[in-house]
Amino acid sequence: MGAEPETERLKDMGSRLARSSLSLTRYIAKAGPGLTMALLLLILHIFQPPFVGSISDLVFDTYQRAHPRPYEDAGVRVVDIDDESIRRLGQWPWPRTDAVRLTDALTNAGAAAIAFDIVFSEPDRTSPARAVEILRQNPEARGDYSEIAALTDHDELLGQAMERGPTVTGYFLTGEANNARPKEHAGVAVSGTPPLDVLREYNGAIVNLPMIGDRASGAGFLSLDAGRDDIIRAVPLIANLDGQIVPSLSLEALRVAQGAGAILVRSTDGSGESGGRGLTEVVAVKTGDLQIPTTGIGELSMYYTAPHPERIVPAWRILQGDLSDAEMRRLFQGQIVFIGTGAQGLRDLRSTPTNAVELGVVIHAQAAEQMILGRFLTRPDWAVGVERALMVVLCLLIALSAPALGALRGGVLAMLALGGVLAGSWFAFRNSGLLLEPIFPALGVVSVYIAITAVSFYREERARSHIHNAFDRYLSPELVDRIARDPGQLELGGEVRQMTVLFSDVRGFSRISERFGPQELISFLINLLTPMTDVLLARKATIDKYIGDAVLAFWNAPLDDPDHEQNAAWAALEMLETLKRLNADNDRDPAWPGQVAIGIGLNTGPCCVGNMGSRQRLSYSLIGDTVNLASRLESLTKAYAVSILVGEDLAARLPGFALIELDIIRVVGRDAPERIFALMGPPEMSSDAAFVETGARMAAALEAYRSRNWAAAEAALETLRGVGTLPGLEGVAGIYAKRVSDFRQSPPPEDWDGISQALEK
């Protein structure tokens, strides 16, 4: 006996575990699309395809445009050979003597370094000896101009000026091999393994004339490599020229300005770090007191200011003495000065995140400003790990939460996660200069949510499609849509509504059934009921059921219909018109049983409507006295020989329609009597003279009948068969004639109230 409770307990526990396991399996199946998407994104993050980098670049470009580096005077100036300078001093290239004057003026003003974004690679054609050669070729030349030829060469003069000042010459790096090389002024030292494999590699250079370049205090390359979209987001500080590390113009200018020795390059193995690609990479470069963090390939991630004219001085103002000595010292003393060409046709134009058209010399100057101010954009070595972990966590959060939360609340969660990722990335950029990519975490949130929502939507659509396939042949489209939107409505129960009910039945259907076989009979019913159903649905009816040849339809459920009484009346009239057309079209068709007639009962009142039946099978239907009376009215159409009978409550709600009172009758199974009306036609018929006359004659007959004036009743009934009366009430007149005749022979009791009693359903 003791073992049985224990066995039952174990069975119950097993049953609960099985249900829990099934529930967990279903939940994981719902989260599966999101988990799959998370795995794909993780694989994608590991391989980092190029398009991801492009999207990240656009995000960080947007950050820079939204919050560019605030301009601060870092002791950097740009001398621009602009259009006005060309207009005042003549076409380019200028005589090297102008470069001499410019260099000496800046040197005398106390510039800390003078860096040329110009390469003096060819001899000056205006030098005295070369100018004399040109003069001697003039047919009108007199003399040999030997005194002029003996003057010092302009390139030599520029070399001397370079030697007098803290100058830095620029040169271009090329992929084409040659023997031209810049002079090594201070050299580059490496802490760790030289990172030559990761640096941009060049095999040649375009350098200054030795008499110029060799006398300068330093030399740096000018080459700027744009990205795939030609936007310069990073400036290389060092490069690989035939196995030798060489510095950029901005880095060399900083070295000369500080009077520093060799530039120090710190590589990953020299700093205890490891390269992300298994290679020795660059961590930072150091010159004098300045240490500059770089990317792994030795580039400075640029943090640009908005265009700022204060850093630029036009060259003509210096060369034409527009600036006093005091003003020159104010502008240039202790400054690093970059000289470049911004004139039309000479411009070295580049694109940056903050400026679509920027001078190359300004980019070098901004690089120097960043290094001096220490305003860096850095991507730490832990960034990839944090981004990957964040992506995985958020993907799992959305994948596991969204199925339970649903589309709306899941969408709110996804938006919060997405906003948090973007806000965190922006906060890191804005406050710490950290480049943390929001792309993969954000893409993970969006993709996982979309995947789960899309699959859930697909499943719901399949379920709705199944419901439509199962029910749309039996229910109105509105009801099918409502159930499809909320399948939970398929429950037992109902509600009480004011509704209008229609019963329709084919007259003499038993006789038709005798003439046709089963298949022919079904074909006839389809051909008859299909257009009738079209009429009903067009008038917003809900088809409750087909009972052989009969149709039960109702209005104002499941959707509200404030005009349900009028819609029902119009539907009944249109059904009669449709039947006339069918009889005319099929007059000679042996599959159509001659002139088919129908009777229609209409009633309105409170009904209980909803999903009714058993737990095994439901039917959206209605019950109530209103429904029963509509059925009785349809049956009475046979006795009164009219097509449409309407109950008293409905007649009161059909103002304007052509209605004629026929009787007060107590139907079978109902104690309360009902005043019934024949619906003769639409509202426009109510003003027709024949209808008005017919109504008046019928009213006179009823008044005489109910007052026991049999002679007057017979006379009034006779007029219903006369000229000027609408057809269709002959049967009613016959019924009352028979009653009057019977009452003449056997008068009704004294308490007779004129109410008729139906003898059959």
Side-chain angles (χ1 to χ4, degrees):
M1 292 294 292
E4 289 184 5
E6 181 65 19
T7 301
E8 292 299 322
R9 188 179 67 82
L10 291 175
K11 286 182 179 179
D12 183 61
M13 182 182 298
S15 177
R16 288 199 301 270
L17 288 175
R19 288 195 298 270
S20 299
S21 176
L22 180 60
S23 177
L24 179 61
T25 301
R26 290 175 177 172
Y27 191 84
I28 292 176
K30 291 182 179 179
L35 297 175
T36 302
M37 184 60 69
L39 178 61
L40 292 175
L41 287 172
L42 180 60
I43 295 172
L44 198 63
H45 191 273
I46 293 172
F47 288 98
Q48 288 285 323
F51 78 89
V52 176
S54 298
I55 298 175
S56 296
D57 288 342
L58 294 177
V59 171
F60 293 133
D61 290 352
T62 303
Y63 288 177
Q64 287 211 45
R65 285 191 292 272
H67 183 70
R69 176 170 60 86
Y71 176 75
E72 301 174 64
D73 189 349
V76 178
R77 291 283 183 272
V78 172
V79 173
D80 183 19
I81 302 173
D82 60 1
D83 289 319
E84 182 64 17
S85 299
I86 296 296
R87 188 185 69 80
R88 289 171 178 261
L89 299 170
Q91 70 180 42
W92 186 264
W94 289 343
R96 298 281 158 81
T97 50
D98 288 337
V100 171
R101 291 193 297 126
L102 187 58
T103 303
D104 285 341
L106 293 171
T107 299
N108 295 334
I114 305 168
F116 286 86
D117 188 22
I118 302 168
V119 180
F120 303 104
S121 59
E122 302 293 338
D124 185 4
R125 292 173 61 87
T126 68
S127 289
R130 295 175 67 86
V132 165
E133 290 179 9
I134 296 172
L135 287 173
R136 286 171 179 169
Q137 294 173 12
N138 192 319
E140 298 179 2
R142 298 292 183 268
D144 59 2
Y145 308 105
S146 57
E147 291 182 3
I148 298 176
L151 294 175
T152 304
D153 188 86
H154 290 178
D155 294 324
E156 173 63 23
L157 292 175
L158 182 55
Q160 293 172 10
M162 292 283 183
E163 203 166 19
R164 289 191 294 271
T167 55
V168 180
T169 57
Y171 59 90
F172 291 108
L173 297 173
T174 69
E176 298 179 4
N178 62 26
N179 295 321
R181 294 294 181 271
K183 179 183 176 181
E184 183 177 341
H185 293 275
V188 176
V190 179
S191 174
T193 303
L196 295 174
D197 291 337
V198 297
L199 298 181
R200 296 186 185 275
E201 185 175 359
Y202 301 91
N203 304 113
I206 300 173
V207 300
N208 295 272
L209 296 171
M211 69 176 66
I212 299 173
D214 291 355
R215 295 180 180 181
S217 303
F221 63 83
L222 306 175
S223 304
L224 298 173
D225 294 313
R228 291 180 294 272
D229 51 5
D230 293 328
I231 296 177
I232 295 178
R233 299 181 177 89
V235 169
L237 298 184
I238 54 177
N240 177 1
L241 178 56
D242 270 348
Q244 181 180 357
I245 298 176
V246 292
S248 69
L249 182 70
S250 56
L251 184 61
E252 186 73 346
L254 288 178
R255 184 191 68 77
V256 171
Q258 296 178 91
I263 292 172
L264 177 64
V265 175
R266 191 154 58 92
S267 58
T268 49
D269 58 357
S271 61
E273 301 176 25
S274 59
R277 295 173 292 174
L279 300 172
T280 300
E281 297 183 348
V282 183
V283 175
V285 296
K286 187 175 186 297
T287 177
D289 296 329
L290 299 176
Q291 179 163 297
I292 302 102
T294 68
T295 65
I297 60 174
E299 292 183 334
L300 172 66
S301 296
M302 292 298 293
Y303 191 7
Y304 293 99
T305 68
H308 202 85
E310 285 188 19
R311 63 161 65 95
I312 300 175
V313 179
W316 68 267
R317 299 192 66 193
I318 300 171
L319 293 174
Q320 290 195 336
D322 185 65
L323 300 172
S324 65
D325 291 344
E327 188 69 11
M328 286 289 291
R329 286 192 297 273
R330 185 188 69 81
L331 288 172
F332 299 113
Q333 189 171 37
Q335 304 283 308
I336 298 175
V337 183
F338 290 86
I339 301 174
T341 56
Q344 193 74 27
L346 306 178
R347 292 182 178 179
D348 175 23
L349 300 179
R350 303 302 181 95
S351 295
T352 69
T354 58
N355 195 357
V357 180
E358 185 64 276
L359 297 178
V361 66
V362 173
I363 294 176
H364 292 298
Q366 291 215 43
E369 288 176 357
Q370 277 187 246
M371 291 187 278
I372 293 169
L373 296 171
R375 295 294 301 271
F376 302 116
L377 295 179
T378 57
R379 182 162 170 76
D381 54 2
W382 45 263
V384 173
V386 168
E387 292 160 3
R388 190 170 296 168
L390 182 62
M391 180 192 70
V392 171
V393 169
L394 291 179
C395 285
L396 290 177
L397 174 65
I398 301 300
L400 297 176
S401 301
L405 294 176
L408 180 59
R409 289 182 294 176
V412 172
L413 177 63
M415 290 299 295
L416 291 174
L418 179 61
V421 168
L422 296 177
S425 174
W426 165 252
F427 183 84
F429 173 87
R430 175 72 174 75
N431 294 279
S432 304
L434 296 178
L435 299 178
L436 300 181
E437 290 185 352
I439 300 304
F440 266 98
L443 187 63
V445 169
V446 174
S447 299
V448 170
Y449 173 74
I450 289 176
I452 290 179
T453 304
V455 172
S456 176
F457 179 77
Y458 170 73
R459 288 171 177 165
E460 289 180 4
E461 285 302 307
R462 285 188 60 188
R464 289 176 182 174
S465 177
H466 176 73
I467 290 173
H468 273 282
N469 292 336
F471 294 108
D472 62 5
R473 294 194 177 197
Y474 309 102
L475 305 179
S476 69
E478 293 88 350
L479 179 58
V480 176
D481 288 339
R482 179 172 170 178
I483 295 174
R485 287 193 300 270
D486 184 10
Q489 293 184 87
L490 292 174
E491 298 291 342
L492 292 173
E495 59 178 327
V496 176
R497 279 176 173 256
Q498 183 75 15
M499 300 179 65
T500 301
V501 184
L502 177 148
F503 261 97
S504 169
D505 193 21
V506 176
R507 301 275 178 82
F509 185 69
S510 298
R511 176 180 52 79
I512 296 173
S513 300
E514 292 176 356
R515 290 179 51 190
F516 290 146
Q519 295 298 328
E520 294 171 319
L521 188 62
I522 291 174
S523 178
F524 159 68
L525 287 176
I526 291 174
N527 292 334
L528 172 68
L529 296 179
T530 297
M532 295 299 177
T533 300
D534 290 339
V535 169
L536 290 167
L537 294 180
R539 286 294 177 179
K540 302 181 181 181
T542 296
I543 308 299
D544 185 308
K545 59 178 68 73
Y546 301 99
I547 312 169
D549 60 312
V551 179
L552 170 59
F554 54 82
W555 282 261
N556 204 34
L559 304 179
D560 292 335
D561 180 6
D563 301 319
H564 58 93
E565 298 95 344
Q566 290 78 13
N567 283 328
W570 278 112
L573 293 171
E574 289 169 4
M575 288 173 71
L576 294 182
E577 291 299 318
T578 300
L579 184 61
K580 289 180 182 178
R581 177 178 56 79
L582 291 173
N583 283 329
D585 292 345
N586 297 284
D587 186 44
R588 299 181 181 278
D589 188 349
W592 189 262
Q595 291 298 304
V596 177
I598 61 173
I600 299 174
L602 289 175
N603 193 30
T604 194
C607 298
C608 181
V609 61
N611 293 299
M612 303 178 189
S614 67
R615 298 191 181 277
Q616 291 86 357
R617 186 177 181 86
L618 298 175
S619 174
Y620 190 83
S621 186
L622 75 171
I623 57 175
D625 180 62
T626 300
V627 184
N628 297 333
L629 182 55
S631 175
R632 301 296 184 267
L633 292 175
E634 183 277 318
S635 297
L636 288 173
T637 60
K638 303 172 187 176
Y640 288 89
V642 294
S643 296
I644 305 173
L645 277 180
V646 176
E648 184 174 359
D649 288 342
L650 179 56
R653 289 172 169 80
L654 295 177
F657 278 84
L659 293 167
I660 292 179
E661 182 182 350
L662 299 186
D663 202 355
I664 302 175
I665 190 168
R666 188 176 287 106
V667 299
V668 176
R670 192 171 188 264
D671 294 332
E674 183 75 12
R675 196 180 298 267
I676 61 175
F677 296 79
L679 178 59
M680 305 296 290
E684 53 266 27
M685 179 185 283
S686 61
S687 59
D688 181 75
F691 171 76
V692 174
E693 180 63 24
T694 302
R697 293 176 180 179
M698 187 68 212
L702 289 177
E703 183 180 3
Y705 172 74
R706 291 168 183 164
S707 62
R708 306 186 186 214
N709 189 344
W710 311 125
E714 287 176 336
L717 291 172
E718 190 63 30
T719 63
L720 281 175
R721 301 187 179 94
V723 178
T725 303
L726 288 176
L729 295 183
E730 296 84 0
V732 176
I735 289 175
Y736 277 99
K738 177 69 167 59
R739 290 179 184 175
V740 169
S741 175
D742 291 343
F743 283 145
R744 277 184 178 276
Q745 296 178 12
S746 301
E750 292 296 326
D751 60 349
W752 179 70
D753 54 8
I755 296 175
S756 306
Q757 176 68 49
L759 300 178
E760 58 183 25
K761 295 182 178 181

